[in-house]
Amino acid sequence: MERHEIETLIGRVALNDRAAFTLLYDATSAKLFGVCLRVLNNRAAAEDAMQDSFVKIWKNAGRYQANGLSPMTWLITIARNTAIDRIRATRKGHQDIDTPGLELAATGAGPEALAVAGAEAKRLVNCLDELAEDRGAAVRGAYLDGQTYAELAAAFSVPINTMRTWLRRGLISLRECMRRE
Amino acid sequence: MSDFSDIDDVPQPEGADLLAAELVLGLLEGEERLAAQRRVASDVEFAALVAAWQERMVAMTDSIEPVVPPKRVKKRLMKALFNAPAVPLSERIWVWKGLSFAAIALAAYLGIQQLGPEPPVAGDVLYATQLTGETVPLQVLAVLDPLRGDLTVSRVAGEEARGRAFELWAILPQQAPVSLGVLPVDEKMRVVLPNDLRSRAAEITLAISDEPQGGSPTGAPTGAVLAASAVTEI
């Protein structure tokens, strides 16, 4: 399904159009389920996370148009955050990352700015590979496995502050690489 | 490896961009995370940095193969959303988190008030929502009591443009919006719902549009829809 078709469906969902919601589910649930499965690595948990994601999509579709994200980015970000929250819920001192509003906030970004970010995104994977191997792994670990600085530090056997310095340097290189290529 | 003071000393906007990336990755914790989230809500430039990182990072999911979910998940979802006599607990918790503290306080306050001296009625259900302006700083809380058949609306933030009015609408699926009136300047308003709206309270979406002073001259929204949100059981 084309970008504008998904956008139109989200717009109709915002007006409580159930038929559009069904179409949106049919068009995107496989991708969202794939993402939830990748993060949670457990079918039952992934089913729950995907269902919760669509509940959020139904309830927040009205806020989509203003945030400027591409429709699939918005949908996948909701699924990813929901899945990460579910993984973290089992850990001590858990705080939801998906406090409503995060990926729903209105941004001042014009379509051009986000189109640039979208074009850069295509280069992300190459640029991650270009990073020192462990830094790329750390960024992936945070995004896809929900690892915290403390967990990353333990995994790489470095102090937390070092981990943070490291990862932030990685992010700077990453952004420069994406702009350059 | 040096300590990270050199990174913290990175001047804005570099520092802001890194903070945005960390927020997107879910790496911020505690006070720092809350501060960054507040900043998303109040600082459009920062929100744009966050959105740009969301666009970039989502590419990590490009290689994830779609997996068709079992049919029962769709059934469960539709049932949970559209004909749930009782909202599942997990969803209810999420709904509560979605409402601001003010909304909860308001609902609790109204709940107590409405039950008044009479004993609570079993199965009593309230619906509420928070309407947040997309392009204007407008925030309105609404609590709907189907038993009494009325809707209480409280404006938390937002001011009409000069000579304009905020008009409140109730929308049922596949039906034209029904005007519930113009929001008064002094914040609270109570509206009695027409019977057809009252009987389908769970399906109502509330919306606020920008209209000429005194409200839409045509009986249908004529200006921009500033905020819209479905009610949810609380």
Side-chain angles (χ1 to χ4, degrees):
Chain A
M1 195 174 275
E2 298 286 332
R3 173 186 171 134
H4 72 271
E5 292 176 278
I6 299 175
E7 239 157 17
T8 306
L9 286 179
I10 296 174
R12 286 170 55 194
V13 170
L15 298 172
N16 265 9
D17 183 334
R18 291 182 191 183
F21 184 66
T22 302
L23 291 172
L24 184 68
Y25 180 92
D26 293 344
T28 61
S29 58
K31 180 67 187 186
L32 268 49
F33 188 49
V35 169
C36 291
L37 265 178
R38 164 63 186 82
V39 171
L40 289 158
N41 200 24
N42 171 301
R43 281 192 83 90
E47 285 175 16
D48 287 348
M50 189 196 60
Q51 182 178 336
D52 287 352
S53 303
F54 274 98
V55 170
K56 294 179 190 179
I57 290 162
W58 170 256
K59 292 184 171 161
N60 293 288
R63 306 198 201 173
Y64 164 69
Q65 69 198 87
N67 66 17
L69 293 176
S70 88
M72 282 314 291
T73 299
W74 185 66
L75 298 170
I76 291 171
T77 301
I78 289 175
R80 178 261 175 186
N81 288 356
T82 304
I84 298 270
D85 279 339
R86 191 164 281 265
I87 256 194
R88 288 187 174 177
T90 55
R91 300 178 192 165
K92 206 179 153 200
H94 162 73
Q95 288 178 311
D96 274 5
I97 56 168
D98 189 30
T99 305
L102 176 51
E103 74 285 335
L104 307 166
T107 76
E112 317 79 35
L114 287 165
V116 170
E120 286 178 9
K122 303 267 178 281
R123 303 173 202 131
L124 175 89
V125 177
N126 288 339
C127 287
L128 273 178
D129 293 340
E130 204 176 278
L131 285 186
E133 195 181 326
D134 35 16
R135 291 187 195 178
V139 173
R140 284 197 171 94
Y143 191 77
L144 293 174
D145 300 315
Q147 288 186 297
T148 61
Y149 272 129
E151 288 161 343
L152 290 168
F156 291 95
S157 310
V158 292
I160 291 186
N161 283 355
T162 306
M163 190 67 230
R164 188 169 192 185
T165 305
W166 236 37
L167 194 126
R168 296 188 105 192
R169 289 221 181 93
L171 289 168
I172 293 173
S173 320
L174 192 61
R175 198 191 48 200
E176 278 162 8
C177 169
M178 285 187 281
R179 282 184 182 160
R180 187 177 67 236
E181 273 199 11
Chain B
M1 187 65 58
S2 58
D3 62 57
F4 73 75
S5 60
D6 57 331
I7 299 263
D8 276 353
D9 289 345
V10 177
Q12 310 282 339
E14 186 80 314
D17 199 31
L18 285 176
L19 201 66
E22 288 178 300
L23 182 64
V24 169
L25 287 174
L27 286 170
L28 298 178
E29 294 179 65
E31 205 26 65
E32 211 176 6
R33 186 186 61 93
L34 292 174
Q37 284 177 335
R38 277 195 295 270
R39 194 164 163 192
V40 168
S42 62
D43 174 348
V44 288
E45 282 174 30
F46 183 68
L49 294 175
V50 169
W53 277 108
Q54 284 172 331
E55 288 287 359
R56 294 183 188 117
M57 294 295 183
V58 84
M60 272 185 267
T61 66
D62 284 354
S63 58
I64 297 174
E65 286 300 324
V67 180
V68 177
K71 284 220 163 55
R72 66 186 140 80
V73 183
K74 182 176 178 180
K75 269 190 203 152
R76 213 166 61 192
L77 168 70
M78 299 300 170
K79 201 171 166 196
L81 275 179
F82 303 131
N83 47 18
V87 180
L89 187 63
S90 62
E91 196 189 322
R92 201 182 282 239
I93 288 167
W94 181 81
V95 166
W96 274 100
K97 282 195 285 190
L99 289 167
S100 70
F101 177 74
I104 294 168
L106 175 69
Y109 166 76
L110 290 171
I112 290 161
Q113 275 227 317
Q114 285 160 345
L115 298 174
E118 295 161 35
V121 180
D124 199 0
V125 165
L126 284 178
Y127 297 90
T129 191
Q130 181 176 347
L131 292 144
T132 305
E134 291 303 344
T135 51
V136 293
L138 171 65
Q139 198 175 33
V140 171
L141 303 172
V143 177
L144 196 164
D145 182 347
L147 208 64
R148 289 169 52 111
D150 68 5
L151 178 77
T152 306
V153 181
S154 167
R155 187 195 308 198
V156 180
E159 214 174 304
E160 302 82 346
R162 187 180 288 260
R164 305 290 294 175
F166 289 143
E167 187 157 358
L168 181 68
W169 305 87
I171 307 166
L172 286 173
Q174 271 100 42
Q175 291 188 21
V178 176
S179 174
L180 298 177
V182 168
L183 291 191
V185 177
D186 58 338
E187 57 167 50
K188 228 177 230 177
M189 163 166 105
R190 183 164 280 189
V191 197
V192 176
L193 294 173
N195 275 337
D196 52 336
L197 285 176
R198 184 176 171 171
S199 60
R200 295 176 65 187
E203 299 171 59
I204 291 178
T205 290
L206 293 172
I208 293 171
S209 68
D210 171 48
E211 300 294 341
Q213 216 157 23
S216 162
T218 66
T222 61
V225 174
L226 303 172
S229 176
V231 299
T232 42
E233 185 184 332
I234 58 173

